[in-house]
Amino acid sequence: MSRPTRAEAEQAVRTLLRWIGDDPDREGLRSTPERVAKAYEDWFGGYREDPVEFLRRTFQEVEGYDEMIVLRDIRFESHCEHHMAPIIGKVHIGYLPARKIVGISKLARVVETFARRLQVQEAMTAQIAHCIQDVLKPKGVGVVVEGTHQCMTTRGVRKHGVAMITSQLLGHFRSDPRTRNEFLTMIGRPNVVG
């Protein structure tokens, strides 16, 4: 599949503006196609990044630390692949290191990379967990994502105040109820996942 040019992308925005009944040549909309193309480059920058690269630099000298590491409340902004409407929320990540750890900012970068693609929340949750599991090879990984979907709050059923919660538990987080409960308690969500 060949990627359209910037000019073709801007022309598509002009077509949409005409389709909704407005004039792309009026003063307020003249620069909109260019602005939308720039915004899309930012919002969907995750297609140009490899989340695995963020996790490759690890630290092995951790003085024998082998307890759970949790990074919670990682804010994300994504877009649903069905309506291209925003999904806004937060991600909580926990892992049990086997022999190496990673800088916490790298976990946030993994979230950011997957979030900045067209997404389904369930898939994004699994992508984050499996990426961490595959690269770091910890004893276990837990990922919980809480998202508010604008495709549900601003159109269709228009239900406000609704958040979707998804989880992916791997290794000890799935097999050991104590590990799972410790993680869920640390993120402030005890008994979210059974």
Side-chain angles (χ1 to χ4, degrees), residues 8 16 26 51 57-58 73 78 85 89 101 109 111 114 123 146 165 171 174 183 194:
E8 289 172 319
L16 284 172
R26 74 174 172 83
R57 181 157 187 232
T58 60
D73 298 326
S78 190
I101 63 169
R109 288 185 183 278
V111 170
F114 285 118
E146 303 174 45
I165 300 174
R174 180 182 292 263
F183 170 60

Side-chain angles (χ1 to χ4, degrees), residues 34-184:
E34 179 184 348
R35 287 188 201 109
V36 170
K38 282 183 181 178
Y40 270 46
E41 285 177 332
D42 181 34
W43 290 336
F44 303 110
Y47 289 111
R48 296 185 307 272
E49 297 175 339
D50 180 1
V52 169
E53 290 304 313
F54 295 123
L55 299 176
R56 289 207 191 276
R57 181 157 187 232
T58 60
F59 306 99
Q60 296 186 10
E61 294 180 22
V62 293
E63 304 296 328
Y65 186 84
D66 62 356
E67 296 294 324
M68 189 179 300
I69 296 170
V70 175
L71 186 61
R72 63 180 228 181
D73 298 326
I74 307 165
R75 181 175 159 76
F76 77 91
E77 297 166 1
S78 190
H79 288 79
C80 81
E81 65 182 38
H82 300 135
H83 302 96
M84 297 179 74
I87 305 169
I88 300 169
K90 48 190 174 175
V91 177
H92 314 288
I93 298 172
Y95 71 99
L96 278 170
R99 288 179 299 280
K100 54 190 173 181
I101 63 169
V102 68
I104 59 174
S105 69
K106 306 307 184 202
L107 296 174
R109 288 185 183 278
V110 168
V111 170
E112 188 74 6
T113 298
F114 285 118
R116 291 174 65 202
R117 299 175 181 182
L118 290 173
Q119 280 293 4
V120 173
Q121 184 174 319
E122 297 90 337
M124 186 177 88
T125 306
Q127 290 165 350
I128 294 166
H130 286 283
C131 182
I132 295 166
Q133 181 69 38
D134 293 347
V135 178
L136 297 183
K137 306 214 180 305
K139 296 174 190 169
V141 175
V143 175
V144 173
V145 178
E146 303 174 45
T148 300
H149 294 244
Q150 301 301 305
C151 59
M152 183 174 172
T153 62
T154 64
R155 57 158 300 282
V157 296
R158 298 180 195 266
K159 295 296 178 195
H160 298 275
V162 175
M164 181 172 161
I165 300 174
T166 52
S167 67
Q168 180 76 65
L169 305 173
L170 304 172
H172 287 352
F173 284 73
R174 180 182 292 263
S175 63
D176 185 345
R178 293 170 300 166
T179 301
R180 179 173 48 251
N181 289 336
E182 179 183 354
F183 170 60
L184 295 173

